[in-house]
Amino acid sequence: KAGVTQTPRYLIKTRGQQVTLSCSPISGHRSVSWYQQTPGQGLQFLFEYFSETQRNKGNFPGRFSGRQFSNSRSEMNVSTLELGDSALYLCASSLEVQAPYEQYFGPGTRLTVT
Amino acid sequence: AQSVSQHNHHVILSEAASLELGCNYSYGGTVNLFWYVQYPGQHLQLLLKYFSGDPLVKGIKGFEAEFIKSKFSFNLRKPSVQWSDTAEYFCAVNGKGGGNKLTFGTGTQLKVEL
């Protein structure tokens, strides 16, 4: 069974630009969560989508947004990039059959903002 | 707001030594608790989880953790570490009924020397 895939794996953007990251969950998983990982702040929750609806949201500014499609694939968008947005962005999916729901993480997208 | 504290940021052990990594959480409700591991160059993966019942839970690769409710702790243990256990270990918590929003600790970098 294929794992969680994220594209692209690496990205370099300039301050002020916007970026879209993509996540394909494990087949059959309907919950997709996004996390930001930085050396200073560690792993921080961005948002979670379930059946195309945002179910949870972390404490990030409105420049960070996401969506989920009917096939459970998810995208996150960051507008007006800042240097501090440089991070590893992780996507995780969950089957939600029996609690607690195990989340399976993808390899991440390494975003560098210059 | 929920938070997770991992007091050991870097741990260096010799092979066959015993391991205990501390994790304390703060949350105003019932929680699910997790330990994740990130081996060099690999994805985050689940080591073990606690939902309810026996407070001593066993995970993969000989790891176990004990939930002590009165101390708000969920410490990870392994009786005898191997060089292949070199990795970063993350404790995480989410509230029951709160979807898949995980709050992570800052991580503990474990290095096992031969």
Side-chain angles (χ1 to χ4, degrees):
Chain A
K1 203 174 198 182
V4 176
T5 57
Q6 294 187 245
T7 56
R9 293 293 310 280
Y10 302 91
L11 206 48
I12 300 175
K13 289 287 188 178
T14 304
R15 245 183 331 178
Q17 288 185 316
Q18 75 165 12
V19 67
T20 299
L21 311 181
S22 181
C23 171
S24 292
I26 293 172
S27 178
H29 288 197
R30 292 195 294 162
S31 166
V32 173
S33 300
W34 289 89
Y35 295 84
Q36 182 196 64
Q37 186 175 22
T38 60
Q41 299 296 319
L43 281 151
Q44 293 189 288
F45 173 80
L46 280 155
F47 26 66
E48 179 198 3
Y49 287 87
F50 182 82
S51 293
E52 301 178 68
T53 301
Q54 188 178 82
R55 185 159 69 175
N56 275 302
K57 190 176 187 304
N59 297 323
F60 279 81
R63 300 186 296 107
F64 292 81
S65 62
R67 59 178 176 168
Q68 186 180 34
F69 302 95
S70 58
N71 62 358
S72 293
R73 191 177 70 84
S74 177
E75 288 181 347
M76 66 164 282
N77 183 276
V78 188
S79 62
T80 321
L81 283 165
E82 301 177 0
L83 295 178
D85 298 332
S86 294
L88 181 67
Y89 290 88
L90 295 172
C91 169
S93 73
S94 175
L95 179 58
E96 301 208 353
V97 171
Q98 182 176 4
Y101 311 125
E102 179 174 351
Q103 294 188 58
Y104 295 82
F105 284 81
T109 294
R110 172 75 62 186
L111 171 65
T112 302
V113 182
T114 61
Chain B
Q2 51 192 311
S3 65
V4 178
S5 296
Q6 291 181 244
H7 307 295
N8 315 103
H9 297 294
H10 292 90
V11 173
I12 301 175
L13 295 172
S14 298
E15 267 204 329
S18 64
L19 170 72
E20 180 159 4
L21 300 182
C23 172
N24 288 90
Y25 68 92
S26 172
Y27 186 76
T30 313
V31 298
N32 302 311
L33 296 155
F34 306 82
W35 275 97
Y36 279 85
V37 61
Q38 191 167 32
Y39 297 103
Q42 294 189 28
H43 309 181
L44 265 175
Q45 58 184 281
L46 184 69
L47 265 182
L48 46 78
K49 61 189 176 187
Y50 173 79
F51 177 58
S52 65
D54 189 345
L56 185 62
V57 293
K58 296 190 184 300
I60 61 172
K61 305 188 180 185
F63 286 91
E64 64 178 31
E66 185 176 13
F67 170 52
I68 303 180
K69 190 175 180 180
S70 60
K71 295 184 178 180
F72 299 92
S73 70
F74 190 56
N75 292 353
L76 181 70
R77 299 195 292 248
K78 186 171 184 180
S80 175
V81 295
Q82 301 174 307
W83 177 80
S84 57
D85 293 325
T86 294
E88 190 159 18
Y89 293 81
F90 295 91
C91 182
V93 62
N94 75 354
K96 290 190 189 296
N100 286 312
K101 176 182 177 180
L102 285 173
T103 298
F104 282 90
T106 51
T108 296
Q109 186 68 52
L110 171 66
K111 182 179 179 182
V112 180
E113 297 178 330
L114 294 171

